[in-house]
Amino acid sequence: MEKQFNTNSTFLYVVAAAVILFILAQSFYFLIRAVRRAKTIGLEKSVVWKTISSTAIFTIAPAFSILLGVVTLSQFLGLPLPWIRLSVIGAITYELPAATSTAKALDISLSEMITDPKTYTAIAWVMTLGILPSILLTPILIKKIQKGVIKIQTKDSAWGNIFMTSLFMGMISAFSGMVFSHLREGLKGLLPVIVLFISALIMAICGLLIKKAKITWLENFAMPFSMILSMVAAVFLAPLFGI
């Protein structure tokens, strides 16, 4: 009898652990180099440790979003692959659409754990190859892009703001298309759209609290709050839509 493929196999955990340990070792290496460099140029220890501690605190908020992404993807991909992807280079805004698009192309349901190694491999390759251009092209084009953006903002700050906002809205529109495509599924397809609006409403409320009530610490937690609360809403609303 052929052994069933396991997305949470010991081998995959070993690979994931090796990758994470390498990233942690790299981080500690540059941290030590930075501390030594700070000592060389005469920075006070209090300034150095304050910078390290404040930076560490600011990483907590993005970590919530990453954790949610790992949990979401682990429902059908197991834990090791999402752990590697989101701990190193990926983001939930890319990894989840890449995985779901591949699954749809293969006509595979993501409501349960993947047991077909070919499907798992296809999803892993799409996630990996799709992100490669950003790795390869960024060192080559980043200076030209930065110069172009700075030139636009220097010439006309109002147009520069409109340009950057348009880029952001274009990205959001691309991802929103995936959400609204579920409307073809009937009543069940309404749930993702409703959850999207709930998430947007929570984010808007956070924005108002930051701007009007001056709750500045909320800036780093607005995204995790909107994700967590919209996911909670989805859990309670799911039975109403027959899910």
Side-chain angles (χ1 to χ4, degrees):
M1 183 177 178
E2 188 178 350
K3 189 175 180 181
Q4 190 180 44
F5 175 73
N6 182 12
T7 57
N8 289 304
S9 67
T10 303
F11 172 75
L12 289 175
Y13 271 109
V14 171
V15 172
V19 172
I20 301 305
L21 286 173
F22 175 78
I23 296 301
L24 289 174
Q26 191 180 50
S27 301
F28 279 114
Y29 171 77
F30 284 109
L31 175 62
I32 293 169
R33 288 287 300 270
V35 171
R36 288 177 179 174
R37 178 60 181 166
K39 186 178 180 181
T40 302
I41 63 178
L43 281 178
E44 294 183 6
K45 283 187 177 180
S46 58
V47 175
V48 175
W49 289 111
K50 185 179 179 181
T51 303
I52 293 173
S53 60
S54 62
T55 304
I57 291 171
F58 283 133
T59 61
I60 294 174
F64 279 112
S65 301
I66 292 170
L67 178 61
L68 290 172
V70 172
V71 171
T72 302
L73 289 168
S74 66
Q75 301 293 321
F76 55 92
L77 287 176
L79 186 58
L81 181 60
W83 185 22
I84 294 172
R85 298 292 312 175
L86 292 169
S87 297
V88 179
I89 193 170
I92 189 63
T93 51
Y94 164 75
E95 306 295 345
L96 186 57
T100 53
S101 298
T102 309
K104 283 184 179 179
L106 297 173
D107 197 23
I108 300 296
S109 173
L110 297 181
S111 58
E112 55 187 21
M113 194 69 71
I114 292 173
T115 56
D116 180 18
K118 292 182 180 180
T119 302
Y120 182 87
T121 305
I123 291 174
W125 270 113
V126 169
M127 294 166 98
T128 303
L129 294 176
I131 203 73
L132 280 180
S134 64
I135 301 173
L136 300 174
L137 295 178
T138 298
I140 300 171
L141 301 177
I142 189 63
K143 285 187 177 180
K144 290 183 179 179
I145 294 172
Q146 283 182 329
K147 285 181 180 179
V149 171
I150 292 171
K151 186 176 180 181
I152 292 173
Q153 291 179 330
T154 304
K155 257 189 172 182
D156 189 340
S157 59
W159 171 245
N161 292 331
I162 293 172
F163 177 73
M164 295 304 296
T165 303
S166 299
L167 289 177
F168 178 75
M169 292 304 297
M171 181 185 69
I172 296 299
S173 299
F175 289 119
S176 298
M178 295 186 64
V179 176
F180 287 100
S181 66
H182 289 284
L183 290 173
R184 294 175 295 181
E185 300 173 9
L187 183 62
K188 291 182 180 180
L190 280 174
L191 181 59
V193 178
I194 292 173
V195 172
L196 170 66
F197 282 110
I198 291 173
S199 179
L201 177 61
I202 295 169
M203 185 63 79
I205 292 171
C206 289
L208 288 173
L209 291 174
I210 294 167
K211 190 173 182 179
K212 301 295 183 182
K214 306 299 181 184
I215 307 177
T216 54
W217 63 266
L218 195 57
E219 290 180 1
N220 295 310
F221 293 91
M223 177 70 77
F225 282 164
S226 65
M227 290 179 68
I228 293 170
L229 294 177
S230 59
M231 288 175 72
V232 171
V235 172
F236 284 102
L237 291 172
L240 300 177
F241 291 85
I243 301 174

CSV table of all heavy atoms in Angstrom, one decimal, residues 111-139:
chain,number,residue,atom,x,y,z
A,111,SER,N,-10.6,23.3,1.6
A,111,SER,CA,-11.3,23.2,2.8
A,111,SER,C,-10.7,22.1,3.7
A,111,SER,O,-11.1,21.9,4.9
A,111,SER,CB,-12.8,22.9,2.6
A,111,SER,OG,-12.9,21.7,1.8
A,112,GLU,N,-9.8,21.3,3.2
A,112,GLU,CA,-9.2,20.2,3.9
A,112,GLU,C,-7.7,20.0,3.5
A,112,GLU,O,-7.3,20.6,2.5
A,112,GLU,CB,-9.9,18.9,3.7
A,112,GLU,CG,-10.0,18.5,2.2
A,112,GLU,CD,-10.9,17.3,2.0
A,112,GLU,OE1,-11.8,17.0,2.9
A,112,GLU,OE2,-10.8,16.6,1.0
A,113,MET,N,-7.0,19.3,4.3
A,113,MET,CA,-5.6,19.2,4.1
A,113,MET,C,-5.2,18.5,2.8
A,113,MET,O,-5.9,17.5,2.4
A,113,MET,CB,-5.0,18.3,5.3
A,113,MET,CG,-3.4,18.4,5.4
A,113,MET,SD,-2.8,20.0,5.9
A,113,MET,CE,-3.3,20.0,7.6
A,114,ILE,N,-4.2,19.0,2.1
A,114,ILE,CA,-3.8,18.4,0.8
A,114,ILE,C,-3.0,17.1,1.1
A,114,ILE,O,-2.1,17.1,1.9
A,114,ILE,CB,-2.9,19.4,0.1
A,114,ILE,CG1,-3.8,20.6,-0.4
A,114,ILE,CG2,-2.2,18.8,-1.1
A,114,ILE,CD1,-3.0,21.7,-1.0
A,115,THR,N,-3.4,16.1,0.4
A,115,THR,CA,-2.7,14.8,0.5
A,115,THR,C,-2.0,14.4,-0.8
A,115,THR,O,-1.3,13.3,-0.8
A,115,THR,CB,-3.7,13.7,0.9
A,115,THR,OG1,-4.8,13.7,0.0
A,115,THR,CG2,-4.3,14.0,2.3
A,116,ASP,N,-2.2,15.1,-1.8
A,116,ASP,CA,-1.6,14.8,-3.1
A,116,ASP,C,-0.2,15.5,-3.2
A,116,ASP,O,-0.2,16.7,-3.2
A,116,ASP,CB,-2.5,15.2,-4.3
A,116,ASP,CG,-1.9,14.9,-5.6
A,116,ASP,OD1,-0.9,14.0,-5.7
A,116,ASP,OD2,-2.3,15.4,-6.6
A,117,PRO,N,0.9,14.8,-3.3
A,117,PRO,CA,2.2,15.5,-3.4
A,117,PRO,C,2.4,16.3,-4.6
A,117,PRO,O,3.1,17.4,-4.5
A,117,PRO,CB,3.2,14.3,-3.4
A,117,PRO,CG,2.4,13.1,-3.8
A,117,PRO,CD,1.0,13.3,-3.3
A,118,LYS,N,1.7,16.0,-5.7
A,118,LYS,CA,1.8,16.8,-6.9
A,118,LYS,C,1.2,18.2,-6.7
A,118,LYS,O,1.7,19.2,-7.2
A,118,LYS,CB,1.2,16.1,-8.1
A,118,LYS,CG,2.0,14.8,-8.5
A,118,LYS,CD,1.3,14.2,-9.7
A,118,LYS,CE,2.1,12.9,-10.2
A,118,LYS,NZ,1.5,12.3,-11.4
A,119,THR,N,0.0,18.2,-6.1
A,119,THR,CA,-0.7,19.4,-5.8
A,119,THR,C,0.1,20.3,-4.9
A,119,THR,O,0.3,21.5,-5.1
A,119,THR,CB,-2.1,19.1,-5.2
A,119,THR,OG1,-2.8,18.3,-6.1
A,119,THR,CG2,-2.8,20.4,-4.9
A,120,TYR,N,0.6,19.7,-3.8
A,120,TYR,CA,1.5,20.4,-2.8
A,120,TYR,C,2.7,21.0,-3.5
A,120,TYR,O,3.0,22.1,-3.3
A,120,TYR,CB,1.9,19.4,-1.7
A,120,TYR,CG,2.7,20.0,-0.6
A,120,TYR,CD1,2.0,20.5,0.5
A,120,TYR,CD2,4.1,19.9,-0.6
A,120,TYR,CE1,2.8,21.1,1.5
A,120,TYR,CE2,4.8,20.5,0.4
A,120,TYR,CZ,4.1,21.0,1.5
A,120,TYR,OH,4.9,21.6,2.5
A,121,THR,N,3.3,20.2,-4.3
A,121,THR,CA,4.5,20.6,-5.0
A,121,THR,C,4.2,21.8,-6.0
A,121,THR,O,5.0,22.8,-6.1
A,121,THR,CB,5.2,19.5,-5.8
A,121,THR,OG1,5.5,18.4,-4.9
A,121,THR,CG2,6.5,19.9,-6.5
A,122,ALA,N,3.1,21.7,-6.7
A,122,ALA,CA,2.7,22.8,-7.6
A,122,ALA,C,2.5,24.1,-6.9
A,122,ALA,O,2.9,25.1,-7.3
A,122,ALA,CB,1.4,22.3,-8.4
A,123,ILE,N,1.8,24.0,-5.8
A,123,ILE,CA,1.5,25.2,-5.0
A,123,ILE,C,2.8,25.8,-4.4
A,123,ILE,O,3.0,27.0,-4.5
A,123,ILE,CB,0.6,24.9,-3.8
A,123,ILE,CG1,-0.8,24.6,-4.3
A,123,ILE,CG2,0.5,26.0,-2.8
A,123,ILE,CD1,-1.8,24.1,-3.3
A,124,ALA,N,3.7,24.9,-4.0
A,124,ALA,CA,5.0,25.4,-3.4
A,124,ALA,C,5.8,26.1,-4.5
A,124,ALA,O,6.5,27.1,-4.3
A,124,ALA,CB,5.8,24.2,-2.8
A,125,TRP,N,5.8,25.5,-5.8
A,125,TRP,CA,6.6,26.1,-6.9
A,125,TRP,C,6.0,27.4,-7.3
A,125,TRP,O,6.7,28.4,-7.6
A,125,TRP,CB,6.6,25.1,-8.1
A,125,TRP,CG,7.7,24.2,-8.1
A,125,TRP,CD1,7.7,22.8,-7.9
A,125,TRP,CD2,9.1,24.5,-8.2
A,125,TRP,NE1,8.9,22.3,-7.9
A,125,TRP,CE2,9.8,23.3,-8.1
A,125,TRP,CE3,9.8,25.7,-8.4
A,125,TRP,CZ2,11.2,23.2,-8.2
A,125,TRP,CZ3,11.2,25.7,-8.5
A,125,TRP,CH2,11.9,24.4,-8.4
A,126,VAL,N,4.6,27.5,-7.4
A,126,VAL,CA,4.0,28.8,-7.7
A,126,VAL,C,4.4,29.9,-6.7
A,126,VAL,O,4.7,31.0,-7.1
A,126,VAL,CB,2.5,28.6,-7.9
A,126,VAL,CG1,1.8,30.0,-8.0
A,126,VAL,CG2,2.2,27.8,-9.1
A,127,MET,N,4.3,29.5,-5.4
A,127,MET,CA,4.6,30.5,-4.4
A,127,MET,C,6.1,31.0,-4.5
A,127,MET,O,6.4,32.1,-4.2
A,127,MET,CB,4.3,29.9,-3.0
A,127,MET,CG,2.9,29.6,-2.7
A,127,MET,SD,2.7,28.5,-1.3
A,127,MET,CE,2.4,29.6,0.0
A,128,THR,N,6.9,30.0,-4.8
A,128,THR,CA,8.4,30.3,-4.9
A,128,THR,C,8.7,31.1,-6.1
A,128,THR,O,9.4,32.2,-6.0
A,128,THR,CB,9.2,29.0,-4.8
A,128,THR,OG1,8.9,28.3,-3.6
A,128,THR,CG2,10.7,29.4,-4.8
A,129,LEU,N,8.3,30.6,-7.3
A,129,LEU,CA,8.6,31.3,-8.5
A,129,LEU,C,8.0,32.7,-8.7
A,129,LEU,O,8.6,33.6,-9.2
A,129,LEU,CB,8.2,30.4,-9.7
A,129,LEU,CG,9.0,29.1,-9.8
A,129,LEU,CD1,8.4,28.3,-11.0
A,129,LEU,CD2,10.5,29.3,-10.0
A,130,GLY,N,6.8,32.8,-8.1
A,130,GLY,CA,6.1,34.1,-8.2
A,130,GLY,C,6.7,35.2,-7.5
A,130,GLY,O,6.6,36.4,-7.8
A,131,ILE,N,7.5,34.9,-6.4
A,131,ILE,CA,8.1,35.9,-5.6
A,131,ILE,C,9.5,36.2,-6.0
A,131,ILE,O,10.1,37.2,-5.7
A,131,ILE,CB,8.1,35.4,-4.1
A,131,ILE,CG1,8.2,36.6,-3.1
A,131,ILE,CG2,9.3,34.5,-3.8
A,131,ILE,CD1,7.0,37.4,-3.0
A,132,LEU,N,10.1,35.4,-6.9
A,132,LEU,CA,11.5,35.5,-7.3
A,132,LEU,C,11.7,36.9,-8.1
A,132,LEU,O,12.8,37.5,-7.8
A,132,LEU,CB,11.9,34.4,-8.2
A,132,LEU,CG,12.3,33.1,-7.5
A,132,LEU,CD1,12.7,32.0,-8.5
A,132,LEU,CD2,13.5,33.4,-6.5
A,133,PRO,N,10.8,37.3,-8.9
A,133,PRO,CA,11.1,38.6,-9.6
A,133,PRO,C,11.4,39.7,-8.6
A,133,PRO,O,12.2,40.6,-8.9
A,133,PRO,CB,9.8,38.8,-10.4
A,133,PRO,CG,9.3,37.5,-10.7
A,133,PRO,CD,9.6,36.7,-9.5
A,134,SER,N,10.6,39.8,-7.5
A,134,SER,CA,10.8,40.9,-6.5
A,134,SER,C,12.2,40.8,-5.9
A,134,SER,O,12.8,41.8,-5.5
A,134,SER,CB,9.7,40.8,-5.5
A,134,SER,OG,9.8,39.6,-4.7
A,135,ILE,N,12.7,39.6,-5.8
A,135,ILE,CA,14.1,39.4,-5.2
A,135,ILE,C,15.1,39.8,-6.2
A,135,ILE,O,16.1,40.5,-5.8
A,135,ILE,CB,14.3,37.9,-4.7
A,135,ILE,CG1,13.2,37.5,-3.7
A,135,ILE,CG2,15.6,37.7,-4.2
A,135,ILE,CD1,13.2,36.1,-3.4
A,136,LEU,N,15.0,39.3,-7.4
A,136,LEU,CA,16.0,39.6,-8.4
A,136,LEU,C,16.0,41.0,-9.0
A,136,LEU,O,17.1,41.5,-9.3
A,136,LEU,CB,15.8,38.6,-9.6
A,136,LEU,CG,15.9,37.1,-9.2
A,136,LEU,CD1,15.5,36.2,-10.4
A,136,LEU,CD2,17.3,36.7,-8.6
A,137,LEU,N,14.8,41.6,-9.2
A,137,LEU,CA,14.7,42.9,-9.8
A,137,LEU,C,14.9,44.0,-8.8
A,137,LEU,O,15.3,45.1,-9.2
A,137,LEU,CB,13.3,43.0,-10.5
A,137,LEU,CG,13.1,42.1,-11.7
A,137,LEU,CD1,11.7,42.3,-12.2
A,137,LEU,CD2,14.1,42.2,-12.8
A,138,THR,N,14.6,43.8,-7.5
A,138,THR,CA,14.7,44.9,-6.6
A,138,THR,C,16.1,45.5,-6.5
A,138,THR,O,16.3,46.7,-6.6
A,138,THR,CB,14.3,44.4,-5.2
A,138,THR,OG1,12.9,44.1,-5.2
A,138,THR,CG2,14.4,45.6,-4.2
A,139,PRO,N,17.2,44.7,-6.4
A,139,PRO,CA,18.5,45.3,-6.3
A,139,PRO,C,18.9,46.0,-7.6
A,139,PRO,O,19.7,47.0,-7.6
A,139,PRO,CB,19.5,44.1,-6.1
A,139,PRO,CG,18.6,43.0,-5.6
A,139,PRO,CD,17.2,43.2,-6.2
